[in-house]
Amino acid sequence: MPPRKSTGDTTTSPTSKPSRNSLSNSLAVEDLSLPRSMIQRLAKGVLPANTQVQKDALLALCKSATVFVSYLANSANDRAVLANKKTVRPEDVLEALAELEFEGFVGRCERELSSEFVYFLCDVSGRNEWELECMADFLVRV
């Protein structure tokens, strides 16, 4: 009969999961991977109708998207740290895109950000009076 967990051997076996601290030191692309279903949905959205995406192609898309997002997030974080900020802002991401020579994405990202922001401002359901007053003040200044 194996020993009880509370009184048993405290050494880790090869089948036990590593602790949370050891995971932060050894992250791989697979650990940070974006959801395959989302990548597949995005890929099918830009491809012509009735186009199939092979399993290996989807895996390549997932890995490359994960690497790109990680690289961009790291670069944007570096820009925020250089500005003595603790929060990565959209401006940091746009500047990082330009710095990483992805200027072609900047215009589209700015348009997407502004449309999402306008949608956020227009969606007034569930907001309290103070939030509505702040949004009105912002719209007057713009």
Side-chain angles (χ1 to χ4, degrees), residues 24 34 62 84 86 100 117 126 134:
S24 63
L34 297 172
C62 287
N84 293 324
K86 292 183 179 180
L100 298 175
F117 189 64
C134 290

Side-chain angles (χ1 to χ4, degrees), residues 13 18 20-21 35 52 58-59 63 75 77 82 86 91 95 112 122 127 132 139-140 142:
S13 66
R20 187 175 186 90
N21 291 337
Q52 297 295 321
L58 183 61
L59 179 64
K63 285 189 176 189
S75 181
N77 183 53
L82 286 174
K86 292 183 179 180
E91 296 83 23
E95 291 171 6
E112 292 293 329
C122 293
R127 299 193 186 264
L132 293 173
L139 290 174
V140 168
V142 173

Side-chain angles (χ1 to χ4, degrees), residues 31-73:
D31 298 330
L32 303 172
S33 183
L34 297 172
R36 278 190 187 193
S37 59
M38 182 60 77
I39 300 294
Q40 186 172 18
R41 189 178 318 151
L42 289 169
K44 286 189 174 191
V46 296
L47 293 173
N50 299 326
T51 303
Q52 297 295 321
V53 180
Q54 286 185 348
K55 184 178 177 182
D56 291 340
L58 183 61
L59 179 64
L61 282 172
C62 287
K63 285 189 176 189
S64 60
T66 300
V67 169
F68 175 74
V69 169
S70 299
Y71 185 50
L72 180 60

